[in-house]
């Protein structure tokens, strides 16, 4: 069960990070972005102005269409099949272990079913 608990913890961590990303995208402001050097900051701002027309238009794009595009897979509330397999594995293996013990112990067919 320890690997399952580790996996559950990892899944919770991923979910928390996704929710944090959603919150940060909703209040995104390019002016608050950090760069290593003033040159990098100016270079990025020039690119944004060239591609989007202004920093405000870029902020609107990140908060609007980009946000909706990125949130769409998260809003379906669908758990990927591999997560379901991971969640079901401990239950299945414990049941299989019980079945094998009865079978190896010479249990009858009725006991197995």
């Amino acid at each position: 069960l320890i690997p399952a608990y580790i996996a559950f913890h990892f899944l919770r961590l991923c979910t928390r990070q996704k929710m944090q990303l959603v919150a940060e995208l909703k209040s995104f402001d390019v002016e608050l972005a950090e760069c290593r050097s003033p040159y990098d900051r100016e270079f990025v701002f020039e690119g944004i102005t060239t591609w989007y027309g202004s920093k405000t238009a870029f902020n609107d794009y990140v908060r609007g269409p980009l946000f909706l595009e990125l949130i769409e897979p998260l809003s379906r509330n669908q758990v990927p099949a591999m997560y379901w397999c991971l969640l079901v594995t401990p239950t299945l293996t414990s049941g299989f272990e019980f079945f094998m013990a009865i079978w190896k112990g010479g249990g009858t067919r009725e006991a197995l079913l």
Side-chain angles (χ1 to χ4, degrees):
L1 287 177
I2 290 175
Y5 289 129
I6 293 170
F8 295 152
H9 176 72
F10 177 73
L11 292 174
R12 278 186 32 206
L13 179 65
C14 288
T15 301
R16 189 176 325 140
Q17 289 174 343
K18 288 177 184 177
M19 297 307 287
Q20 183 180 358
L21 172 67
V22 166
E24 289 174 0
L25 281 176
K26 204 64 175 148
S27 62
F28 178 81
D29 186 359
V30 72
E31 290 289 343
L32 300 176
E34 297 177 9
C35 295
R36 288 190 158 203
S37 72
Y39 171 78
D40 290 344
R41 186 175 180 84
E42 191 59 37
F43 181 78
V44 169
F45 285 168
E46 284 179 21
I48 288 171
T49 303
T50 301
W51 295 331
Y52 293 92
S54 70
K55 293 177 204 171
T56 304
F58 180 70
N59 284 339
D60 292 341
Y61 172 73
V62 171
R63 293 177 193 156
L66 182 62
F67 172 80
L68 294 174
E69 181 180 334
L70 295 176
I71 195 70
E72 193 267 328
L74 299 175
S75 65
R76 285 189 230 140
N77 290 332
Q78 292 181 343
V79 177
M82 291 308 294
Y83 286 0
W84 282 114
C85 292
L86 185 63
L87 292 170
V88 172
T89 298
T91 305
L92 290 178
T93 55
S94 66
F96 186 67
E97 181 181 5
F98 182 71
F99 176 83
M100 291 301 293
I102 294 173
W103 181 47
K104 288 291 191 178
T108 64
R109 193 178 272 175
E110 289 79 24
L112 292 171
L113 299 175

